[in-house]
Amino acid sequence: RIVRILSNFAYTVGCVSLYLISMWIIIVAIIGIIVEIQNTPFIIYKLLDEVALLVFSIAVIDVSKYLMTEEVLREHDRSPRDARRVFTKFVIIIITALCLEGLVITIETAKTDITKLLYPILIFVIATFMMIGLVLYQKLNASSEKN
């Protein structure tokens, strides 16, 4: 019981910290967008940095929400079906964040040094394999539920 209380406390502190840091990043990104829009030589590429910050912070908020709801607020053991649903949602959050980050990095790399496109391409490849893995996971679970 004490271990459970301590782990719930640790999860709560970690999740609240992640949430507050993410909110701070969102505020800084929005201020950066406002400042960039007010600049006379408006450069769209500088906005991409702020977009990357927003995407990252939203993904971190989703992860902290997931950890809080699944590890702290969960009162009872969930069914295997609920566990699969939550796992699927969590993986989709990660895949979405990877794809958006890959897109931002691809655009930034393409404007500076096209020879460094390997890293953004690898991000997309990893996200693609994660999506294929998720589809296979869902197909295998759907076939096992029928049996």
Side-chain angles (χ1 to χ4, degrees):
R1 179 162 166 77
I2 292 174
V3 171
R4 184 178 214 171
I5 291 170
L6 288 175
S7 66
N8 282 348
F9 177 74
Y11 271 113
T12 302
V13 169
C15 290
V16 169
S17 299
L18 284 173
Y19 186 80
L20 291 175
I21 291 168
S22 296
M23 291 306 295
W24 182 253
I25 292 171
I26 288 173
I27 291 168
V28 169
I30 290 173
I31 291 170
I33 289 170
I34 292 169
V35 167
E36 186 56 39
I37 289 174
Q38 291 176 346
N39 282 343
T40 307
F42 179 71
I43 300 172
I44 194 77
Y45 294 117
K46 290 188 178 181
L47 288 177
L48 290 175
D49 294 333
E50 309 306 328
V51 170
L53 286 175
L54 288 171
V55 167
F56 172 75
S57 60
I58 290 170
V60 171
I61 286 173
D62 277 342
V63 168
S64 67
K65 182 179 85 170
Y66 167 81
L67 288 173
M68 181 63 88
T69 57
E70 291 304 311
E71 297 299 331
V72 178
L73 300 177
R74 183 175 46 116
E75 297 286 328
H76 60 287
D77 290 332
R78 60 181 175 258
S79 69
R81 183 180 184 138
D82 289 339
R84 285 190 295 272
R85 182 188 53 80
V86 169
F87 174 75
T88 300
K89 182 180 176 186
F90 183 67
V91 171
I92 287 173
I93 290 167
I94 293 171
I95 291 170
T96 304
L98 274 175
C99 287
L100 290 173
E101 187 66 20
L103 180 62
V104 170
I105 293 173
T106 300
I107 293 170
E108 285 194 12
T109 304
K111 71 180 179 184
T112 57
D113 186 5
I114 200 142
T115 61
K116 296 182 180 177
L117 275 176
L118 181 62
Y119 175 70
I121 289 171
L122 285 176
I123 291 177
F124 282 120
V125 168
I126 289 169
T128 302
F129 279 120
M130 286 181 71
M131 184 62 79
I132 292 168
L134 182 61
V135 169
L136 289 173
Y137 172 78
Q138 289 178 329
K139 289 279 188 190
L140 291 172
N141 276 311
S143 66
S144 69
E145 284 181 2
K146 291 178 184 178
N147 295 335

